[in-house]
């Protein structure tokens, strides 16, 4: 699953790398990085949803899915050896 | 100041996909007798050592940074293509939760580097004997690392680094002879 907060880059792949290459590296830029001072009156999650997600505001919500059992976010090379 | 040459002192080849070996190699990256400790030890001691041997500490300290770069390359090559699951299987889960795949100045057991590993006593003999001991300990560490892998490409790089420790030890022992100075000379006052 790729969400809009995930950044992708291609690391250098050498001709003599010992392990099967992973073509991409990813990192997350959460939405707070673009918010200097939180404005008033933002749209809100329902209370039940907010308690589950950890924030009242969709604008601050940053999902994160496990990379386990999968190869990074993208690509299908390099299955476990 | 330094001039940086954008290549390794000796080519680093890794032929076997063995992420666990990366963990063992960290002993020479951020361990007590590792390359970081060596570089910082010599480059710091050189200010308070007799003029005649400053150059030895300066040049060897500089070369230790070139060795640090080689170790970093080995560690990076061994871990860069591993998934979190593969790192876990290789016994690197504890490294992953703190550092992802980033390199960190710690030893093979995960203990972070500390300045307590190095000494600057201000006494030239005390400092040079510490440096000689450090070189011999680093040589021994390289031997045990070579014992821990059957990858001949990796062994090749490690053997080069081990040999450099022997050369450095010799240079430091020569430095001791140089600062002993007057022995065997006729001096007239």
């Amino acid at each position: 699953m790729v969400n809009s907060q995930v950044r992708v880059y291609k690391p250098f792949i050498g001709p003599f790398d010992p392990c099967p290459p992973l073509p991409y590296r990813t990192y997350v830029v959460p939405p707070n990085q673009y918010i200097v001072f939180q404005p008033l009156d933002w749209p809100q999650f329902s209370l039940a949803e907010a308690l589950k997600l950890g924030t009242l505001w969709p604008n601050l919500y940053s999902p994160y899915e496990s990379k386990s059992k999968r190869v990074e976010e993208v690509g299908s090379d390099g299955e476990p050896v | 100041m330094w001039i940086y040459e954008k290549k390794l002192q000796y080519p680093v080849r890794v032929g076997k996909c063995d992420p666990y070996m990366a963990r063992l190699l960290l002993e020479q990256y951020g361990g007590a007798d590792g390359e970081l400790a060596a570089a910082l030890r010599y480059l710091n001691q050189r200010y308070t050592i007799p003029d005649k041997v400053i150059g030895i500490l300066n040049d060897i300290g500089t070369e230790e940074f070139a060795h640090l770069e080689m170790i970093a390359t080995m560690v990076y090559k061994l871990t860069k293509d591993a998934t979190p699951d593969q790192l876990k299987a290789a016994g690197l889960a504890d490294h992953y939760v703190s550092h992802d795949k980033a390199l960190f100045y710690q030893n093979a057991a995960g203990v972070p580097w500390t300045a307590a590993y190095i000494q600057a006593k201000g006494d030239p003999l005390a400092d040079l004997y510490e440096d000689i001991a450090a070189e011999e300990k680093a040589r021994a560490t390289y031997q045990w690392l070579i014992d821990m892998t059957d990858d001949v490409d990796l062994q090749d790089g490690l053997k080069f680094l081990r040999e450099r420790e022997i050369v450095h030890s010799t240079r430091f022992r020569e430095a001791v002879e140089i600062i002993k100075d007057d022995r065997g000379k006729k001096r007239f006052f």
Side-chain angles (χ1 to χ4, degrees), chain A residues 12 16-22 25 67-70 72 78-81, chain B residues 13-17 76-78 80-86 96 100-101:
Chain A
F12 172 75
F16 305 112
D17 287 345
C19 304
L22 289 174
R25 289 273 289 164
K67 291 177 185 170
S68 198
K69 308 292 174 206
R70 294 176 303 115
E72 291 283 298
E79 279 303 300
V81 282
Chain B
R13 289 285 276 269
V14 183
K16 183 185 170 192
C17 186
Y76 176 68
K77 277 182 172 244
L78 285 166
K80 75 185 187 73
D81 294 315
T83 63
D85 288 315
Q86 290 168 327
Y96 183 79
D100 190 357
K101 293 179 205 170

PDB file of all heavy atoms in Angstrom, chain A residues 12 16-22 25 67-70 72 78-81, chain B residues 13-17 76-78 80-86 96 100-101:
ATOM      1  N   PHE A  12      21.709   3.434  -5.032  1.00  0.00           N
ATOM      2  CA  PHE A  12      22.652   2.884  -6.002  1.00  0.00           C
ATOM      3  C   PHE A  12      22.703   1.360  -5.876  1.00  0.00           C
ATOM      4  O   PHE A  12      22.767   0.818  -4.777  1.00  0.00           O
ATOM      5  CB  PHE A  12      24.045   3.466  -5.734  1.00  0.00           C
ATOM      6  CG  PHE A  12      25.140   2.830  -6.553  1.00  0.00           C
ATOM      7  CD1 PHE A  12      25.288   3.124  -7.899  1.00  0.00           C
ATOM      8  CD2 PHE A  12      26.022   1.915  -5.969  1.00  0.00           C
ATOM      9  CE1 PHE A  12      26.286   2.535  -8.652  1.00  0.00           C
ATOM     10  CE2 PHE A  12      27.026   1.314  -6.715  1.00  0.00           C
ATOM     11  CZ  PHE A  12      27.159   1.628  -8.055  1.00  0.00           C
ATOM     12  N   PHE A  16      28.366  -5.683  -7.949  1.00  0.00           N
ATOM     13  CA  PHE A  16      28.878  -6.810  -7.148  1.00  0.00           C
ATOM     14  C   PHE A  16      28.208  -6.896  -5.786  1.00  0.00           C
ATOM     15  O   PHE A  16      28.805  -7.394  -4.839  1.00  0.00           O
ATOM     16  CB  PHE A  16      30.390  -6.676  -6.985  1.00  0.00           C
ATOM     17  CG  PHE A  16      31.122  -6.556  -8.293  1.00  0.00           C
ATOM     18  CD1 PHE A  16      31.758  -5.375  -8.642  1.00  0.00           C
ATOM     19  CD2 PHE A  16      31.143  -7.623  -9.188  1.00  0.00           C
ATOM     20  CE1 PHE A  16      32.426  -5.265  -9.856  1.00  0.00           C
ATOM     21  CE2 PHE A  16      31.808  -7.519 -10.401  1.00  0.00           C
ATOM     22  CZ  PHE A  16      32.444  -6.329 -10.740  1.00  0.00           C
ATOM     23  N   ASP A  17      26.987  -6.407  -5.657  1.00  0.00           N
ATOM     24  CA  ASP A  17      26.286  -6.501  -4.378  1.00  0.00           C
ATOM     25  C   ASP A  17      26.078  -7.966  -3.998  1.00  0.00           C
ATOM     26  O   ASP A  17      25.687  -8.767  -4.848  1.00  0.00           O
ATOM     27  CB  ASP A  17      24.923  -5.806  -4.464  1.00  0.00           C
ATOM     28  CG  ASP A  17      25.068  -4.295  -4.495  1.00  0.00           C
ATOM     29  OD1 ASP A  17      26.164  -3.812  -4.167  1.00  0.00           O
ATOM     30  OD2 ASP A  17      24.088  -3.616  -4.849  1.00  0.00           O
ATOM     31  N   PRO A  18      26.333  -8.319  -2.742  1.00  0.00           N
ATOM     32  CA  PRO A  18      26.228  -9.724  -2.356  1.00  0.00           C
ATOM     33  C   PRO A  18      24.786 -10.237  -2.288  1.00  0.00           C
ATOM     34  O   PRO A  18      24.552 -11.415  -2.516  1.00  0.00           O
ATOM     35  CB  PRO A  18      26.887  -9.773  -0.976  1.00  0.00           C
ATOM     36  CG  PRO A  18      26.798  -8.380  -0.446  1.00  0.00           C
ATOM     37  CD  PRO A  18      26.871  -7.484  -1.644  1.00  0.00           C
ATOM     38  N   CYS A  19      23.843  -9.380  -1.963  1.00  0.00           N
ATOM     39  CA  CYS A  19      22.458  -9.820  -1.806  1.00  0.00           C
ATOM     40  C   CYS A  19      21.613  -9.342  -2.983  1.00  0.00           C
ATOM     41  O   CYS A  19      21.947  -8.349  -3.611  1.00  0.00           O
ATOM     42  CB  CYS A  19      21.867  -9.277  -0.502  1.00  0.00           C
ATOM     43  SG  CYS A  19      22.813  -9.699   0.975  1.00  0.00           S
ATOM     44  N   PRO A  20      20.507 -10.059  -3.289  1.00  0.00           N
ATOM     45  CA  PRO A  20      19.616  -9.603  -4.363  1.00  0.00           C
ATOM     46  C   PRO A  20      19.146  -8.183  -4.066  1.00  0.00           C
ATOM     47  O   PRO A  20      18.704  -7.919  -2.954  1.00  0.00           O
ATOM     48  CB  PRO A  20      18.444 -10.576  -4.313  1.00  0.00           C
ATOM     49  CG  PRO A  20      18.890 -11.714  -3.479  1.00  0.00           C
ATOM     50  CD  PRO A  20      20.006 -11.259  -2.608  1.00  0.00           C
ATOM     51  N   PRO A  21      19.247  -7.265  -5.039  1.00  0.00           N
ATOM     52  CA  PRO A  21      18.988  -5.855  -4.716  1.00  0.00           C
ATOM     53  C   PRO A  21      17.531  -5.553  -4.409  1.00  0.00           C
ATOM     54  O   PRO A  21      16.623  -6.128  -4.991  1.00  0.00           O
ATOM     55  CB  PRO A  21      19.441  -5.124  -5.982  1.00  0.00           C
ATOM     56  CG  PRO A  21      19.382  -6.126  -7.060  1.00  0.00           C
ATOM     57  CD  PRO A  21      19.647  -7.460  -6.435  1.00  0.00           C
ATOM     58  N   LEU A  22      17.315  -4.622  -3.477  1.00  0.00           N
ATOM     59  CA  LEU A  22      16.007  -4.011  -3.284  1.00  0.00           C
ATOM     60  C   LEU A  22      16.015  -2.744  -4.126  1.00  0.00           C
ATOM     61  O   LEU A  22      16.852  -1.879  -3.926  1.00  0.00           O
ATOM     62  CB  LEU A  22      15.794  -3.652  -1.813  1.00  0.00           C
ATOM     63  CG  LEU A  22      15.593  -4.789  -0.818  1.00  0.00           C
ATOM     64  CD1 LEU A  22      15.548  -4.240   0.599  1.00  0.00           C
ATOM     65  CD2 LEU A  22      14.327  -5.551  -1.129  1.00  0.00           C
ATOM     66  N   ARG A  25      13.956   2.446  -1.807  1.00  0.00           N
ATOM     67  CA  ARG A  25      13.892   2.724  -0.381  1.00  0.00           C
ATOM     68  C   ARG A  25      12.756   3.714  -0.163  1.00  0.00           C
ATOM     69  O   ARG A  25      12.480   4.556  -1.034  1.00  0.00           O
ATOM     70  CB  ARG A  25      15.193   3.355   0.127  1.00  0.00           C
ATOM     71  CG  ARG A  25      16.359   2.423   0.181  1.00  0.00           C
ATOM     72  CD  ARG A  25      16.435   1.659   1.496  1.00  0.00           C
ATOM     73  NE  ARG A  25      16.819   2.518   2.615  1.00  0.00           N
ATOM     74  CZ  ARG A  25      16.641   2.155   3.895  1.00  0.00           C
ATOM     75  NH1 ARG A  25      16.073   1.015   4.191  1.00  0.00           N
ATOM     76  NH2 ARG A  25      17.031   2.968   4.860  1.00  0.00           N
ATOM     77  N   LYS A  67       6.131  -3.322   7.227  1.00  0.00           N
ATOM     78  CA  LYS A  67       6.900  -3.758   6.067  1.00  0.00           C
ATOM     79  C   LYS A  67       7.188  -5.242   6.136  1.00  0.00           C
ATOM     80  O   LYS A  67       7.817  -5.802   5.252  1.00  0.00           O
ATOM     81  CB  LYS A  67       8.228  -3.007   6.014  1.00  0.00           C
ATOM     82  CG  LYS A  67       8.118  -1.530   5.690  1.00  0.00           C
ATOM     83  CD  LYS A  67       9.507  -0.918   5.760  1.00  0.00           C
ATOM     84  CE  LYS A  67       9.470   0.584   5.567  1.00  0.00           C
ATOM     85  NZ  LYS A  67      10.782   1.168   5.874  1.00  0.00           N
ATOM     86  N   SER A  68       6.769  -5.853   7.213  1.00  0.00           N
ATOM     87  CA  SER A  68       7.073  -7.270   7.409  1.00  0.00           C
ATOM     88  C   SER A  68       6.317  -8.121   6.393  1.00  0.00           C
ATOM     89  O   SER A  68       5.223  -7.765   5.973  1.00  0.00           O
ATOM     90  CB  SER A  68       6.677  -7.673   8.820  1.00  0.00           C
ATOM     91  OG  SER A  68       7.312  -8.859   9.174  1.00  0.00           O
ATOM     92  N   LYS A  69       6.920  -9.220   6.014  1.00  0.00           N
ATOM     93  CA  LYS A  69       6.350 -10.167   5.038  1.00  0.00           C
ATOM     94  C   LYS A  69       6.203  -9.575   3.652  1.00  0.00           C
ATOM     95  O   LYS A  69       5.544 -10.124   2.792  1.00  0.00           O
ATOM     96  CB  LYS A  69       4.975 -10.694   5.493  1.00  0.00           C
ATOM     97  CG  LYS A  69       4.961 -11.265   6.900  1.00  0.00           C
ATOM     98  CD  LYS A  69       5.770 -12.536   7.001  1.00  0.00           C
ATOM     99  CE  LYS A  69       5.840 -12.979   8.468  1.00  0.00           C
ATOM    100  NZ  LYS A  69       7.035 -13.783   8.760  1.00  0.00           N
ATOM    101  N   ARG A  70       6.745  -8.381   3.460  1.00  0.00           N
ATOM    102  CA  ARG A  70       6.684  -7.799   2.137  1.00  0.00           C
ATOM    103  C   ARG A  70       8.036  -7.192   1.834  1.00  0.00           C
ATOM    104  O   ARG A  70       8.825  -6.942   2.732  1.00  0.00           O
ATOM    105  CB  ARG A  70       5.612  -6.706   2.061  1.00  0.00           C
ATOM    106  CG  ARG A  70       4.210  -7.239   2.228  1.00  0.00           C
ATOM    107  CD  ARG A  70       3.216  -6.116   2.251  1.00  0.00           C
ATOM    108  NE  ARG A  70       3.519  -5.150   3.307  1.00  0.00           N
ATOM    109  CZ  ARG A  70       3.872  -3.910   3.071  1.00  0.00           C
ATOM    110  NH1 ARG A  70       4.000  -3.467   1.856  1.00  0.00           N
ATOM    111  NH2 ARG A  70       4.115  -3.089   4.068  1.00  0.00           N
ATOM    112  N   GLU A  72       9.864  -4.038   1.125  1.00  0.00           N
ATOM    113  CA  GLU A  72       9.701  -2.583   1.213  1.00  0.00           C
ATOM    114  C   GLU A  72       8.286  -2.210   0.799  1.00  0.00           C
ATOM    115  O   GLU A  72       7.350  -2.935   1.046  1.00  0.00           O
ATOM    116  CB  GLU A  72      10.745  -1.859   0.364  1.00  0.00           C
ATOM    117  CG  GLU A  72      12.146  -1.985   0.924  1.00  0.00           C
ATOM    118  CD  GLU A  72      12.400  -1.071   2.137  1.00  0.00           C
ATOM    119  OE1 GLU A  72      12.325   0.137   1.987  1.00  0.00           O
ATOM    120  OE2 GLU A  72      12.686  -1.575   3.234  1.00  0.00           O
ATOM    121  N   GLY A  78      13.907  -9.787  -4.812  1.00  0.00           N
ATOM    122  CA  GLY A  78      14.602 -10.070  -3.574  1.00  0.00           C
ATOM    123  C   GLY A  78      13.782 -10.754  -2.515  1.00  0.00           C
ATOM    124  O   GLY A  78      13.718 -10.307  -1.377  1.00  0.00           O
ATOM    125  N   GLU A  79      13.131 -11.832  -2.849  1.00  0.00           N
ATOM    126  CA  GLU A  79      12.453 -12.628  -1.836  1.00  0.00           C
ATOM    127  C   GLU A  79      13.474 -13.154  -0.836  1.00  0.00           C
ATOM    128  O   GLU A  79      14.641 -13.305  -1.167  1.00  0.00           O
ATOM    129  CB  GLU A  79      11.707 -13.792  -2.495  1.00  0.00           C
ATOM    130  CG  GLU A  79      10.351 -13.389  -3.070  1.00  0.00           C
ATOM    131  CD  GLU A  79       9.434 -12.771  -2.025  1.00  0.00           C
ATOM    132  OE1 GLU A  79       9.137 -13.464  -1.031  1.00  0.00           O
ATOM    133  OE2 GLU A  79       9.046 -11.612  -2.177  1.00  0.00           O
ATOM    134  N   PRO A  80      13.049 -13.403   0.395  1.00  0.00           N
ATOM    135  CA  PRO A  80      13.982 -13.931   1.405  1.00  0.00           C
ATOM    136  C   PRO A  80      14.778 -15.118   0.904  1.00  0.00           C
ATOM    137  O   PRO A  80      14.240 -15.995   0.206  1.00  0.00           O
ATOM    138  CB  PRO A  80      13.044 -14.345   2.545  1.00  0.00           C
ATOM    139  CG  PRO A  80      11.858 -13.464   2.404  1.00  0.00           C
ATOM    140  CD  PRO A  80      11.714 -13.180   0.932  1.00  0.00           C
ATOM    141  N   VAL A  81      16.078 -15.125   1.213  1.00  0.00           N
ATOM    142  CA  VAL A  81      16.913 -16.236   0.740  1.00  0.00           C
ATOM    143  C   VAL A  81      17.235 -17.164   1.890  1.00  0.00           C
ATOM    144  O   VAL A  81      17.205 -16.758   3.043  1.00  0.00           O
ATOM    145  CB  VAL A  81      18.234 -15.708   0.130  1.00  0.00           C
ATOM    146  CG1 VAL A  81      17.994 -15.186  -1.270  1.00  0.00           C
ATOM    147  CG2 VAL A  81      18.863 -14.657   0.997  1.00  0.00           C
TER     148      VAL A  81
ATOM    149  N   ARG B  13      35.130  -5.992  -1.677  1.00  0.00           N
ATOM    150  CA  ARG B  13      34.200  -6.892  -2.360  1.00  0.00           C
ATOM    151  C   ARG B  13      33.577  -7.811  -1.330  1.00  0.00           C
ATOM    152  O   ARG B  13      34.263  -8.325  -0.449  1.00  0.00           O
ATOM    153  CB  ARG B  13      34.948  -7.722  -3.407  1.00  0.00           C
ATOM    154  CG  ARG B  13      35.396  -6.920  -4.614  1.00  0.00           C
ATOM    155  CD  ARG B  13      34.253  -6.591  -5.546  1.00  0.00           C
ATOM    156  NE  ARG B  13      33.984  -7.681  -6.460  1.00  0.00           N
ATOM    157  CZ  ARG B  13      34.555  -7.791  -7.667  1.00  0.00           C
ATOM    158  NH1 ARG B  13      35.383  -6.879  -8.098  1.00  0.00           N
ATOM    159  NH2 ARG B  13      34.268  -8.823  -8.441  1.00  0.00           N
ATOM    160  N   VAL B  14      32.273  -7.995  -1.460  1.00  0.00           N
ATOM    161  CA  VAL B  14      31.562  -8.922  -0.585  1.00  0.00           C
ATOM    162  C   VAL B  14      30.861  -9.918  -1.480  1.00  0.00           C
ATOM    163  O   VAL B  14      30.049  -9.543  -2.317  1.00  0.00           O
ATOM    164  CB  VAL B  14      30.541  -8.179   0.305  1.00  0.00           C
ATOM    165  CG1 VAL B  14      29.862  -9.152   1.251  1.00  0.00           C
ATOM    166  CG2 VAL B  14      31.224  -7.075   1.091  1.00  0.00           C
ATOM    167  N   GLY B  15      31.183 -11.199  -1.343  1.00  0.00           N
ATOM    168  CA  GLY B  15      30.671 -12.193  -2.275  1.00  0.00           C
ATOM    169  C   GLY B  15      29.505 -13.005  -1.758  1.00  0.00           C
ATOM    170  O   GLY B  15      28.842 -13.698  -2.527  1.00  0.00           O
ATOM    171  N   LYS B  16      29.241 -12.928  -0.473  1.00  0.00           N
ATOM    172  CA  LYS B  16      28.228 -13.805   0.116  1.00  0.00           C
ATOM    173  C   LYS B  16      27.181 -12.973   0.851  1.00  0.00           C
ATOM    174  O   LYS B  16      27.533 -12.073   1.614  1.00  0.00           O
ATOM    175  CB  LYS B  16      28.913 -14.761   1.099  1.00  0.00           C
ATOM    176  CG  LYS B  16      28.000 -15.783   1.750  1.00  0.00           C
ATOM    177  CD  LYS B  16      28.784 -16.578   2.793  1.00  0.00           C
ATOM    178  CE  LYS B  16      27.866 -17.427   3.638  1.00  0.00           C
ATOM    179  NZ  LYS B  16      28.575 -17.957   4.811  1.00  0.00           N
ATOM    180  N   CYS B  17      25.909 -13.268   0.594  1.00  0.00           N
ATOM    181  CA  CYS B  17      24.824 -12.554   1.274  1.00  0.00           C
ATOM    182  C   CYS B  17      24.698 -13.074   2.701  1.00  0.00           C
ATOM    183  O   CYS B  17      24.143 -14.141   2.926  1.00  0.00           O
ATOM    184  CB  CYS B  17      23.513 -12.737   0.502  1.00  0.00           C
ATOM    185  SG  CYS B  17      22.168 -11.748   1.160  1.00  0.00           S
ATOM    186  N   TYR B  76      27.445  -1.858   5.013  1.00  0.00           N
ATOM    187  CA  TYR B  76      26.337  -1.382   4.194  1.00  0.00           C
ATOM    188  C   TYR B  76      25.965  -2.391   3.117  1.00  0.00           C
ATOM    189  O   TYR B  76      24.800  -2.695   2.896  1.00  0.00           O
ATOM    190  CB  TYR B  76      26.707  -0.037   3.565  1.00  0.00           C
ATOM    191  CG  TYR B  76      25.649   0.487   2.624  1.00  0.00           C
ATOM    192  CD1 TYR B  76      24.414   0.909   3.106  1.00  0.00           C
ATOM    193  CD2 TYR B  76      25.863   0.527   1.251  1.00  0.00           C
ATOM    194  CE1 TYR B  76      23.435   1.363   2.258  1.00  0.00           C
ATOM    195  CE2 TYR B  76      24.884   0.985   0.389  1.00  0.00           C
ATOM    196  CZ  TYR B  76      23.675   1.400   0.891  1.00  0.00           C
ATOM    197  OH  TYR B  76      22.699   1.841   0.036  1.00  0.00           O
ATOM    198  N   LYS B  77      26.989  -2.935   2.434  1.00  0.00           N
ATOM    199  CA  LYS B  77      26.714  -3.910   1.377  1.00  0.00           C
ATOM    200  C   LYS B  77      25.978  -5.127   1.921  1.00  0.00           C
ATOM    201  O   LYS B  77      25.137  -5.721   1.245  1.00  0.00           O
ATOM    202  CB  LYS B  77      28.036  -4.373   0.741  1.00  0.00           C
ATOM    203  CG  LYS B  77      28.568  -3.426  -0.323  1.00  0.00           C
ATOM    204  CD  LYS B  77      29.849  -4.003  -0.924  1.00  0.00           C
ATOM    205  CE  LYS B  77      30.304  -3.203  -2.126  1.00  0.00           C
ATOM    206  NZ  LYS B  77      30.281  -3.985  -3.365  1.00  0.00           N
ATOM    207  N   LEU B  78      26.294  -5.526   3.147  1.00  0.00           N
ATOM    208  CA  LEU B  78      25.704  -6.730   3.718  1.00  0.00           C
ATOM    209  C   LEU B  78      24.276  -6.520   4.200  1.00  0.00           C
ATOM    210  O   LEU B  78      23.536  -7.487   4.397  1.00  0.00           O
ATOM    211  CB  LEU B  78      26.571  -7.235   4.872  1.00  0.00           C
ATOM    212  CG  LEU B  78      27.871  -7.922   4.452  1.00  0.00           C
ATOM    213  CD1 LEU B  78      28.807  -8.082   5.638  1.00  0.00           C
ATOM    214  CD2 LEU B  78      27.580  -9.279   3.826  1.00  0.00           C
ATOM    215  N   LYS B  80      22.110  -3.609   3.077  1.00  0.00           N
ATOM    216  CA  LYS B  80      21.262  -2.664   2.360  1.00  0.00           C
ATOM    217  C   LYS B  80      20.090  -3.325   1.632  1.00  0.00           C
ATOM    218  O   LYS B  80      19.053  -2.695   1.445  1.00  0.00           O
ATOM    219  CB  LYS B  80      22.092  -1.842   1.369  1.00  0.00           C
ATOM    220  CG  LYS B  80      22.512  -2.584   0.111  1.00  0.00           C
ATOM    221  CD  LYS B  80      23.425  -1.718  -0.735  1.00  0.00           C
ATOM    222  CE  LYS B  80      23.734  -2.333  -2.072  1.00  0.00           C
ATOM    223  NZ  LYS B  80      22.588  -2.294  -3.001  1.00  0.00           N
ATOM    224  N   ASP B  81      20.241  -4.585   1.253  1.00  0.00           N
ATOM    225  CA  ASP B  81      19.181  -5.234   0.495  1.00  0.00           C
ATOM    226  C   ASP B  81      18.351  -6.215   1.327  1.00  0.00           C
ATOM    227  O   ASP B  81      17.602  -7.014   0.782  1.00  0.00           O
ATOM    228  CB  ASP B  81      19.782  -5.948  -0.723  1.00  0.00           C
ATOM    229  CG  ASP B  81      20.378  -4.951  -1.706  1.00  0.00           C
ATOM    230  OD1 ASP B  81      19.710  -3.937  -1.979  1.00  0.00           O
ATOM    231  OD2 ASP B  81      21.496  -5.177  -2.185  1.00  0.00           O
ATOM    232  N   ALA B  82      18.501  -6.160   2.625  1.00  0.00           N
ATOM    233  CA  ALA B  82      17.743  -7.074   3.476  1.00  0.00           C
ATOM    234  C   ALA B  82      16.395  -6.457   3.850  1.00  0.00           C
ATOM    235  O   ALA B  82      16.309  -5.271   4.154  1.00  0.00           O
ATOM    236  CB  ALA B  82      18.542  -7.390   4.735  1.00  0.00           C
ATOM    237  N   THR B  83      15.354  -7.257   3.825  1.00  0.00           N
ATOM    238  CA  THR B  83      14.045  -6.804   4.296  1.00  0.00           C
ATOM    239  C   THR B  83      14.033  -6.889   5.822  1.00  0.00           C
ATOM    240  O   THR B  83      14.890  -7.558   6.417  1.00  0.00           O
ATOM    241  CB  THR B  83      12.935  -7.713   3.752  1.00  0.00           C
ATOM    242  OG1 THR B  83      13.144  -9.036   4.273  1.00  0.00           O
ATOM    243  CG2 THR B  83      12.947  -7.769   2.239  1.00  0.00           C
ATOM    244  N   PRO B  84      13.067  -6.217   6.459  1.00  0.00           N
ATOM    245  CA  PRO B  84      12.976  -6.352   7.920  1.00  0.00           C
ATOM    246  C   PRO B  84      12.928  -7.807   8.364  1.00  0.00           C
ATOM    247  O   PRO B  84      13.545  -8.184   9.365  1.00  0.00           O
ATOM    248  CB  PRO B  84      11.680  -5.613   8.257  1.00  0.00           C
ATOM    249  CG  PRO B  84      11.551  -4.586   7.179  1.00  0.00           C
ATOM    250  CD  PRO B  84      12.104  -5.237   5.940  1.00  0.00           C
ATOM    251  N   ASP B  85      12.219  -8.636   7.613  1.00  0.00           N
ATOM    252  CA  ASP B  85      12.135 -10.050   8.002  1.00  0.00           C
ATOM    253  C   ASP B  85      13.487 -10.748   7.897  1.00  0.00           C
ATOM    254  O   ASP B  85      13.831 -11.589   8.732  1.00  0.00           O
ATOM    255  CB  ASP B  85      11.111 -10.777   7.113  1.00  0.00           C
ATOM    256  CG  ASP B  85       9.695 -10.358   7.460  1.00  0.00           C
ATOM    257  OD1 ASP B  85       9.390 -10.293   8.668  1.00  0.00           O
ATOM    258  OD2 ASP B  85       8.919 -10.081   6.539  1.00  0.00           O
ATOM    259  N   GLN B  86      14.231 -10.407   6.850  1.00  0.00           N
ATOM    260  CA  GLN B  86      15.553 -11.028   6.697  1.00  0.00           C
ATOM    261  C   GLN B  86      16.507 -10.579   7.795  1.00  0.00           C
ATOM    262  O   GLN B  86      17.310 -11.353   8.294  1.00  0.00           O
ATOM    263  CB  GLN B  86      16.126 -10.694   5.314  1.00  0.00           C
ATOM    264  CG  GLN B  86      15.394 -11.403   4.183  1.00  0.00           C
ATOM    265  CD  GLN B  86      15.763 -10.845   2.818  1.00  0.00           C
ATOM    266  OE1 GLN B  86      16.042  -9.660   2.673  1.00  0.00           O
ATOM    267  NE2 GLN B  86      15.760 -11.709   1.814  1.00  0.00           N
ATOM    268  N   TYR B  96      17.642  -3.201  14.104  1.00  0.00           N
ATOM    269  CA  TYR B  96      16.609  -2.612  13.251  1.00  0.00           C
ATOM    270  C   TYR B  96      15.671  -1.695  14.031  1.00  0.00           C
ATOM    271  O   TYR B  96      15.334  -0.608  13.559  1.00  0.00           O
ATOM    272  CB  TYR B  96      15.808  -3.723  12.560  1.00  0.00           C
ATOM    273  CG  TYR B  96      14.769  -3.194  11.613  1.00  0.00           C
ATOM    274  CD1 TYR B  96      15.129  -2.751  10.346  1.00  0.00           C
ATOM    275  CD2 TYR B  96      13.428  -3.103  11.988  1.00  0.00           C
ATOM    276  CE1 TYR B  96      14.182  -2.244   9.473  1.00  0.00           C
ATOM    277  CE2 TYR B  96      12.474  -2.591  11.126  1.00  0.00           C
ATOM    278  CZ  TYR B  96      12.858  -2.163   9.872  1.00  0.00           C
ATOM    279  OH  TYR B  96      11.927  -1.645   9.015  1.00  0.00           O
ATOM    280  N   ASP B 100      16.939   1.085  11.977  1.00  0.00           N
ATOM    281  CA  ASP B 100      16.608   0.642  10.628  1.00  0.00           C
ATOM    282  C   ASP B 100      17.887   0.043  10.039  1.00  0.00           C
ATOM    283  O   ASP B 100      18.571  -0.707  10.710  1.00  0.00           O
ATOM    284  CB  ASP B 100      16.068   1.829   9.821  1.00  0.00           C
ATOM    285  CG  ASP B 100      15.474   1.435   8.471  1.00  0.00           C
ATOM    286  OD1 ASP B 100      15.531   0.248   8.113  1.00  0.00           O
ATOM    287  OD2 ASP B 100      14.943   2.320   7.774  1.00  0.00           O
ATOM    288  N   LYS B 101      18.249   0.451   8.811  1.00  0.00           N
ATOM    289  CA  LYS B 101      19.488  -0.096   8.237  1.00  0.00           C
ATOM    290  C   LYS B 101      20.650   0.867   8.364  1.00  0.00           C
ATOM    291  O   LYS B 101      21.693   0.681   7.747  1.00  0.00           O
ATOM    292  CB  LYS B 101      19.272  -0.426   6.766  1.00  0.00           C
ATOM    293  CG  LYS B 101      18.304  -1.562   6.543  1.00  0.00           C
ATOM    294  CD  LYS B 101      18.144  -1.803   5.061  1.00  0.00           C
ATOM    295  CE  LYS B 101      16.827  -2.451   4.760  1.00  0.00           C
ATOM    296  NZ  LYS B 101      16.578  -2.466   3.315  1.00  0.00           N
TER     297      LYS B 101
END
